[in-house]
């Protein structure tokens, strides 16, 4: 809906994502609002809005808004990212719902990343790609997916989709979350005992937990020691989930076969970090999945429409739990 046909007082929505993302979001947001028959006064630049007139703040921690003073009538802060650890560090107001990004494009992207890296390690594709050209015809068939145990820590929007996709492919999948889940084809566990079970049996362990005080350095020396000999770790979640010294020691010793790491304590990963050159580590530069403007615009407008109808937002962050 364009400005000249707006009904009186449509909610003011301020896009406070990174400046270089404005152009990519402006049209999808406008079109999604039109499809939802929702009149929005959409401002793509914080310079075009007084903080005190903004109803909904579309927010990223690397955007132009760094503080929340003056945003006196906010009905919701809508994160552009799935992980809200960066936003929570800025201490957004406690009386305004903070909403995580859950959108189909990001979920599909994460499923692709996880499936690709799990299959790489399952089939030991590197053995042929990196092989020296010595012309040795050595047949060593990999096991079938059904004989390969994959564990997924975190069964939320992304973890559940990945666990299900892995299971549909045929892997023997178990997963772990705070509350017990029911996911077809996936052995779902919870609690401390459930964590130890998943870690103890996963030949390939995928991390899809948020970074919170409870999950920081969850993958420590003790838990790494309980992973099966030759296991592989795939981490597209957050760097601080892992005790990196313990992981490097296990990789150096050959206890773990490989670690595929997309996220780090410090990003960009410093040039001198041992992960860059470690033969058992693959570094990807936080590209596992991204918020996709087309599908994210649908999700954002859907959230605003819910609030305007007087319904609660979906995927509201629990400030006590940190996700
Ligand atoms: P989510 O829907 O909030 O799911 C989080 C899952 O972790 C839930 O199953 C939750 O359990 C579980 N969990 C959290 N704390 C736990 C604890 N202390 N013990 C046991 N389980 C716990 O999050 P999501 O959308 O799936 O995203 C997961 C993370 O992926 C994000 O936080 C972000 O850091 C990361 N991410 C990375 C990229 C990338 O490109 N690398 C892209 C997007 C997201 P309950 O279900 O019981 O609450």
């Amino acid at each position: 809906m364009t400005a000249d046909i707006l009904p009186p007082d449509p909610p003011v929505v301020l896009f406070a994502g990174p400046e270089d993302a404005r152009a990519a979001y402006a049209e999808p947001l406008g079109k999604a609002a039109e499809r939802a028959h929702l009149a929005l006064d959409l401002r793509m630049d914080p310079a075009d809005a007084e903080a005190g007139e903004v109803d909904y703040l579309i927010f990223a921690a690397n955007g132009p808004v760094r503080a929340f003073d003056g945003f006196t009538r906010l009905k919701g802060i809508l994160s552009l990212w799935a992980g809200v650890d960066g936003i929570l560090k800025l201490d957004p107001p406690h009386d305004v719902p903070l909403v995580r990004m859950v959108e189909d494009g990001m979920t599909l992207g994460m499923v692709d990343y996880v499936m690709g890296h799990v299959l790489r390690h399952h089939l030991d594709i590197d053995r042929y790609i990196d092989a020296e050209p010595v012309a040795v015809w050595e047949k060593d068939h990999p096991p079938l997916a059904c004989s390969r145990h994959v564990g997924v820590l975190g069964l939320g929007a992304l973890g559940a989709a990945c666990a299900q996709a892995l299971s549909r492919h045929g892997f023997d999948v178990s997963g772990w979350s705070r509350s017990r889940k029911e996911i077809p084809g996936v052995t779902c566990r919870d609690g401390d005992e459930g964590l130890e079970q998943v870690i103890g049996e996963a030949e390939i362990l995928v991390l899809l937990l948020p970074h919170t005080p409870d999950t920081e350095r969850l993958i420590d020396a003790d838990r790494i020691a309980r992973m099966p000999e030759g296991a592989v770790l795939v981490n597209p979640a957050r760097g601080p989930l892992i005790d990196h010294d313990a992981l490097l020691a296990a990789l150096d010793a050959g206890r773990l076969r490989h670690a595929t790491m997309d996220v780090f304590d410090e990003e960009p990963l410093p040039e001198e970090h041992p992960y860059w050159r470690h033969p058992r580590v693959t570094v990807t530069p936080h590209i596992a999945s991204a918020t996709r403007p087309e599908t994210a615009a649908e999700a954002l407008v859907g959230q605003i429409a819910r609030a305007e109808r007087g319904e609660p937002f979906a995927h509201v962050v629990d400030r006590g739990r940190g996700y």
Side-chain angles (χ1 to χ4, degrees), residues 187-274:
T187 305
C188 296
R189 304 192 191 281
D190 57 14
D192 292 346
E193 204 180 310
L195 175 62
E196 304 314 327
Q197 276 176 293
V198 175
I199 285 180
E201 60 196 6
E203 294 165 271
I204 302 174
L205 185 66
V206 180
L207 306 186
L208 277 167
L209 291 162
H211 173 210
T212 71
D214 289 340
T215 62
E216 187 159 315
R217 313 297 169 211
L218 188 87
I219 304 302
D220 59 9
D222 279 356
R223 296 205 170 95
I224 289 171
R226 273 179 251 147
M227 290 172 72
E229 192 70 31
V232 170
L233 190 64
V234 178
N235 183 17
R238 283 292 185 266
L241 300 181
I242 296 174
D243 175 336
H244 299 284
D245 289 340
L247 175 60
L248 280 164
L251 291 163
D252 287 342
R255 263 274 304 132
L256 293 194
R257 179 155 60 96
H258 202 94
T260 291
M261 313 279 283
D262 186 57
V263 283
F264 306 92
D265 286 13
E266 187 184 345
E267 295 181 10
L269 182 65
E271 202 272 329
E272 66 282 4
H273 199 284

Side-chain angles (χ1 to χ4, degrees), residues 82-83 100 106 110 154-159 176-179 181 208-210 214-215 236-238 262-263 286 288-289 323:
R100 296 185 323 98
M106 186 188 315
M110 187 60 85
L155 294 173
L158 302 177
W176 180 73
S177 52
R178 182 192 294 272
S179 54
K181 300 282 184 286
L208 277 167
L209 291 162
D214 289 340
T215 62
R238 283 292 185 266
D262 186 57
V263 283
H286 203 143
S289 193
Y323 71 99

Side-chain angles (χ1 to χ4, degrees), residues 54-214:
V54 176
D55 295 291
Y56 299 95
L57 187 63
I58 298 175
F59 191 83
N62 63 348
V65 173
R66 309 296 302 163
F68 300 89
D69 309 324
F71 286 94
T72 48
R73 58 181 264 181
L74 278 185
K75 298 178 191 168
I77 302 172
L78 310 180
S79 170
L80 273 178
W81 299 343
V84 290
D85 40 350
I87 300 181
L88 290 176
K89 280 190 200 144
L90 300 174
D91 197 25
H94 287 238
D95 54 350
V96 177
L98 171 62
V99 178
R100 296 185 323 98
M101 175 57 74
V102 175
E103 61 95 2
D104 291 349
M106 186 188 315
T107 304
L108 290 170
M110 187 60 85
V111 168
D112 282 355
Y113 181 94
V114 167
M115 190 61 87
H117 286 277
V118 167
L119 279 170
R120 166 192 171 195
H121 297 302
H122 165 62
L123 295 172
D124 198 10
I125 291 172
D126 293 13
R127 174 175 170 171
Y128 304 101
I129 292 175
D130 294 340
E132 295 291 320
V134 288
V136 176
W137 187 265
E138 196 176 51
K139 282 167 93 107
D140 192 2
H141 293 286
L144 293 175
C146 58
S147 317
R148 179 75 74 190
H149 198 108
V150 183
V152 181
L153 301 187
L155 294 173
L158 302 177
C162 291
Q164 240 183 322
L166 290 161
S167 163
R168 278 199 214 104
H169 185 82
F171 287 109
D172 179 10
V173 183
S174 61
W176 180 73
S177 52
R178 182 192 294 272
S179 54
R180 177 65 72 101
K181 300 282 184 286
E182 297 267 337
I183 302 173
V186 178
T187 305
C188 296
R189 304 192 191 281
D190 57 14
D192 292 346
E193 204 180 310
L195 175 62
E196 304 314 327
Q197 276 176 293
V198 175
I199 285 180
E201 60 196 6
E203 294 165 271
I204 302 174
L205 185 66
V206 180
L207 306 186
L208 277 167
L209 291 162
H211 173 210
T212 71
D214 289 340

